[in-house]
Amino acid sequence: MLDLDLIRREREAVAASLSKRLDSSEVDRSLSAIVDLDARRRELLQRIEEERRKRKEASRAYAKAKRESSEPLPPPPDTKAALLALESELENVGAELRQEMAALPNMPADDVVPGGKENNEVLREWGEKPALGDFLDHTTVAKEYGLVDFDRGTKLGGSGYWMYTGYGARLEWALLNWFIDQHNAAGYTFVLPPHMLLESAGFAAGQFPKFSDDVYHIANPNSDRPQFLLPTSETAILGAHQDEIFTEAELPRRVFAYTPCYRREKAGTHSDERGTVRGHQFNKVELFQFTTPDGAAEAFESMVDAAESLVRGLGLHYRTSKLAAGDTSATMRRTFDIEVWMPHAKGYKEVSSVSWAGDYQARRANIRFRAPQAKQTQFVHTLNGSALATSRLLPAILEQFQQEDGSVLVPEVLRDRVGTDRLVRPAR
């Protein structure tokens, strides 16, 4: 969440920043509510402190009078009820303030422009669009070449699920293992987190409360601690370090994880989202960094380069876009998308989003660091990036690398893992 002190000091600047992604009237309403609640909370704190002081003075005066009096004294008036009422009101106001603060999105970085997708900026492209004549779309190839069984996937999980088979499964696994090898070599620490998380992890990452309906919540009659299936391992990596304090020497902490990702978002029905392009479960390798504020810019550039280098290594044509404020996740200050070319759709699809959250997530998760000799701790900055999500790479490979005879070349870096240099239609 945002810094309450910053809102107090620079309300107009905060409003201007948030208005890049929200309606100005909504921003004004939220900030006004926060400022009013904060003022009421501080007023209540002062009244409670004063009431406690008066009670202590009255108690001491009564004790002294009782010692000095030879006659029984009537009991002093009971002011406890008034104090309890103030404390109850303070608790309610504090809860309302926390709710308003938690609902605020992050402030976009200064270099991020207002608006939605229409204002995204293409920064660079790599490679050339393949010159294809007649070609099969990736869904047809996946079915006819025995790479993905959509019917049995639907039989198992319902709409929006699929099952990799044969060389399709080997290609999927080869991609994941190649990514893992690259990140291990780059010095990231590999983790395999639980897939079922407590709701505190969802709040820390900024998915809750606003996007609570986007995840699969788990009904567990044997536990009073609600859980959900992770939508991305970003949530797990961040949540694993809640309430921790790093030393400055431990930063940057560079971690990556492999997990399936589970999301309730509507499965694709348009022609450009068929097949494995969009579904309720997909595989992803996720990069994450905890850094000092001064180290965040370098970390961001290194993570963008890591994601781009994987797509280049596969030989896929792609572009990198800088997202406008309205197309950036509510928790992030800046996001670059790496998007591969999808020939059948005559457009690009994102396979990696690299994002910088500033200290927004760290405040929600209470993750800090202490510099040498420093008395006070500071909040870390967090960054995350897909490197990569596989369910859109398979369609891009099946189309970009399709040959005139209908076969599909396997990216050279994956051939030893897949066990073949090309995919062909099985003999009938």
Side-chain angles (χ1 to χ4, degrees), residues 194-268:
H195 298 180
M196 293 168 59
L197 307 180
L198 296 173
E199 291 200 349
S200 59
F203 177 83
Q207 282 139 2
F208 298 168
K210 185 172 183 179
F211 302 106
S212 179
D213 290 342
D214 293 345
V215 305
Y216 289 99
H217 295 273
I218 300 167
N220 185 351
N222 297 319
S223 175
D224 59 356
R225 305 182 74 186
Q227 295 171 301
F228 65 100
L229 287 172
L230 86 173
T232 167
S233 49
E234 166 201 346
T235 313
I237 297 171
L238 177 76
H241 293 279
Q242 293 172 85
D243 301 313
E244 293 186 17
I245 300 175
F246 294 109
T247 65
E248 189 171 19
E250 293 176 301
L251 301 177
R253 177 164 173 73
R254 306 163 78 209
V255 182
F256 79 98
Y258 156 70
T259 64
C261 301
Y262 308 92
R263 300 185 184 177
R264 291 182 61 188
E265 59 186 292
K266 187 175 181 181

Side-chain angles (χ1 to χ4, degrees), residues 13 37 68 77 111 237 261 312 388:
L37 286 166
E68 296 174 351
D111 62 316
I237 297 171
C261 301
R312 288 196 301 271
L388 298 166

